[in-house]
Amino acid sequence: MSNELLDTLLSSSSQHATTKTHEHKPPSSFSVATYLNLALSSDSQSETKTNDAAEENVEARMAELALQLQMETQNCHDEIETIGMEMSAQLPRAAADVSRLSVGLGGMTQDARALLRGVAPLLEDGGAGGGVTGGVGGGVTNGGVALQNLSTLHALRANLTLTKNILSAASSWDATISSIPILLSPPINATQPDDDDNPSRSPSVTAANLAQAVSALTTLENGNRALRGMPGREDRDGILEDFRRRIEVLLKPRLLAALQTAQGGTSGGKGGELGPLQQCAVMYTSLGRTAVLMEEYVKARPALVHKLWFGFSISESPRKASGAVNSEGFVAWLPGWYDSILKLLAEERRRSLAVFGSEKGPEITARVLDECFRPLLSSFSTRLSTLFSTNDSSSDATGSFESICASYEATLRFLSLAYDQMIGCKNPKLIHVIYARVASPFAPYQRKFSKLELKHDTIVMADVTNDVQ
């Protein structure tokens, strides 16, 4: 009721009030008091001409209007209180920000004062040395000269250090070169083989001498970098490359022996020793040939897995009465083979961290997984084709498509568990490529799934028909 009365009051008086105020005040200077005065005066003048009851009507409208104003005032008070509470909540945080800013400005002030204290003696010395023409300007000029002298001394120190490195490299170059052939020579009492073309049959060099030769080669490489501006750079590079090749030839058999020793834990022995392998890793890292070490290491690790794969033969499995291959044997054997790979990956995660460190360890584990399948992909595809051929013609109606699906399900389960062993690998693209390669034998079945499923249904219906007959 009150809202209707207010709307009636404002609507009935808006015409009179608007005509009176339109010529004097623009809409932007609207005043509630002026508007109400004009509205009530117009209503009182018009209504007093009719009867005396108009005054009572105006008083009723005023009472309703007063109630509305009280409600609006209360709303304004509530809004002001809400704003005040929000400001009270934000003031402590603002005070904390101001406090931190004050602390930061204080630290900058202290740094500036310390800088001024350090520069002041230079300015004073420059002013005192400036004589009659010193003054403040002379102090600044001579202070700049002092700073320039300091920069010159710093550059001179750097040049002297470089000169020292060059002289040290030049003085020790000949002696270091002479020591490496002695370190790479076999023991005096060792017999030379008749076949000099086979380096693996050369007499063994002790591990200590080989490590010292690698250290000497590292010293030569550092000296070569120091002598990079001196004549004879090509000759020095050729000497270093020759020594590096000779060391790698002698280091390769030792690496293979260390890998064979480390394989003991995987082949059922008492546990592989990682000491010799770690020594080889240090020497290969010093030579800058970590990639060679990683390649040989990854190739050697899955030997037992490959042996288990080629030890199983589908052709030796019992066949069905129709002469078709019995796929149940391979489907039952495959999860166990996958478990052997998971055990290898779990052991590899520990070993790779010990040999290559936390930076390369997860990547090495991923590469070992890739090497487990890389030589077997062709054989894997052949075995799947033996179980159920990808030829969708009805003439080749042998095998079981369910065995392919079961094998694929086991492969997916294996890949999900293998991923846990490669957590921390910083090359997700490598993992994606490896997983795609592992699942690649199933790709032909995925592309022709609908046709192969129809072929499978045909085989099943034929078997059922034969059983009924």
Side-chain angles (χ1 to χ4, degrees):
M1 182 65 181
S2 58
N3 293 331
E4 294 178 357
L5 291 174
L6 181 60
D7 294 338
T8 302
L9 174 61
L10 296 178
S11 61
S12 61
S13 59
S14 60
Q15 298 178 356
H16 301 284
T18 304
T19 56
K20 293 182 180 181
T21 59
H22 180 71
E23 299 178 356
H24 302 283
K25 297 181 179 295
S28 59
S29 61
F30 175 77
S31 174
V32 177
T34 304
Y35 186 85
L36 291 177
N37 290 332
L38 294 175
L40 292 176
S41 64
S42 64
D43 288 341
S44 61
Q45 290 176 1
S46 61
E47 292 182 1
T48 51
K49 295 179 181 180
T50 57
N51 50 33
D52 296 336
E55 295 182 359
E56 297 180 358
N57 190 10
V58 172
E59 291 179 357
R61 292 181 181 181
M62 289 293 295
E64 293 293 337
L65 183 59
L67 180 60
Q68 291 293 328
L69 292 176
Q70 290 179 0
M71 294 176 61
E72 292 296 332
T73 303
Q74 184 63 36
N75 292 335
C76 291
H77 290 169
D78 294 341
E79 186 174 357
I80 292 173
E81 183 179 0
T82 302
I83 295 174
M85 293 176 63
E86 292 178 356
M87 293 180 64
S88 299
Q90 293 177 0
L91 282 177
R93 185 171 57 186
D97 294 339
V98 172
S99 178
R100 288 193 292 267
L101 182 59
S102 177
V103 173
L105 292 176
M108 293 176 62
T109 302
Q110 294 178 0
D111 294 340
R113 290 176 179 175
L115 181 60
L116 290 175
R117 285 195 299 268
V119 176
L122 296 176
L123 298 178
E124 293 177 358
D125 294 341
V132 179
T133 60
V136 178
V140 174
T141 302
N142 293 322
V145 173
L147 292 177
Q148 184 178 3
N149 293 336
L150 182 62
S151 177
T152 303
L153 291 175
H154 180 72
L156 180 60
R157 178 184 177 184
N159 292 333
L160 290 175
T161 303
L162 179 60
T163 304
K164 176 184 176 181
N165 294 334
I166 293 175
L167 294 176
S168 299
S171 61
S172 61
W173 180 267
D174 294 336
T176 307
I177 287 181
S178 301
S179 64
I180 292 180
I182 299 176
L183 294 173
L184 298 181
S185 300
I188 299 177
N189 55 356
T191 58
Q192 295 288 344
D194 296 334
D195 188 6
D196 295 335
D197 297 332
N198 189 359
S200 62
R201 296 182 56 191
S202 60
S204 175
V205 179
T206 61
N209 289 347
L210 193 58
Q212 292 179 10
V214 173
S215 178
L217 180 60
T218 303
T219 302
L220 287 179
E221 290 177 345
N222 295 332
N224 188 32
R225 284 191 291 270
L227 298 172
R228 60 183 178 274
M230 304 299 292
R233 180 176 181 178
E234 296 181 357
D235 295 338
R236 292 193 298 270
D237 292 340
I239 293 173
L240 293 178
E241 186 63 28
D242 180 65
F243 282 151
R244 187 181 294 107
R245 181 185 59 81
R246 292 175 59 184
I247 291 176
E248 288 183 5
V249 170
L250 295 175
L251 188 57
K252 185 69 172 290
R254 192 170 296 276
L255 173 61
L256 297 179
L259 290 173
Q260 186 176 3
T261 302
Q263 286 289 91
T266 309
S267 60
K270 297 181 179 180
E273 298 180 1
L274 298 180
L277 184 59
Q278 289 174 335
Q279 294 177 0
C280 293
V282 172
M283 288 186 283
Y284 271 100
T285 302
S286 300
L287 293 174
R289 294 292 191 269
T290 308
V292 177
L293 171 66
M294 294 172 59
E295 181 180 358
E296 294 295 333
Y297 179 85
V298 169
K299 287 169 58 178
R301 288 296 286 155
L304 179 61
V305 173
H306 296 164
K307 182 179 180 181
L308 293 175
W309 173 267
F310 290 108
F312 179 83
S313 177
I314 296 181
S315 60
E316 298 177 359
S317 301
R319 294 180 176 267
K320 296 181 180 180
S322 60
V325 176
N326 188 0
S327 60
E328 296 179 357
F330 178 76
V331 174
W333 173 84
L334 186 61
W337 183 70
Y338 281 151
D339 290 340
S340 65
I341 299 179
L342 292 175
K343 293 179 181 178
L344 172 64
L345 294 179
E347 178 67 16
E348 181 56 38
R349 182 176 178 86
R350 180 187 66 83
R351 292 194 176 196
S352 60
L353 291 176
V355 177
F356 297 95
S358 58
E359 187 72 19
K360 290 289 186 180
E363 181 179 350
I364 294 298
T365 304
R367 294 186 181 277
V368 169
L369 172 62
D370 185 28
E371 187 64 22
C372 288
F373 286 87
R374 185 189 58 80
L376 310 179
L377 293 178
S378 177
S379 176
F380 206 126
S381 300
T382 302
R383 291 188 178 186
L384 293 180
S385 179
T386 303
L387 297 179
F388 192 79
S389 176
T390 56
N391 185 10
D392 55 356
S393 62
S394 59
S395 59
D396 188 11
T398 58
S400 172
F401 191 54
E402 293 180 353
S403 61
I404 302 297
C405 297
S407 301
Y408 184 66
E409 182 180 359
T411 303
L412 293 180
R413 172 184 171 274
F414 160 73
L415 291 177
S416 64
L417 295 176
Y419 183 78
D420 296 337
Q421 304 299 333
M422 292 177 288
I423 295 177
C425 181
K426 297 182 180 180
N427 190 0
K429 184 178 180 181
L430 174 63
I431 298 179
H432 177 75
V433 172
I434 293 174
Y435 274 38
R437 184 178 293 126
V438 171
S440 61
F442 296 93
Y445 297 92
Q446 293 174 335
R447 289 192 295 265
K448 304 170 66 174
F449 183 83
S450 58
K451 295 181 179 179
L452 295 178
E453 187 178 21
L454 179 60
K455 175 183 174 181
H456 172 72
D457 294 339
T458 304
I459 296 175
V460 172
M461 291 178 63
D463 292 341
V464 173
T465 302
N466 294 331
D467 293 340
V468 171
Q469 293 175 355

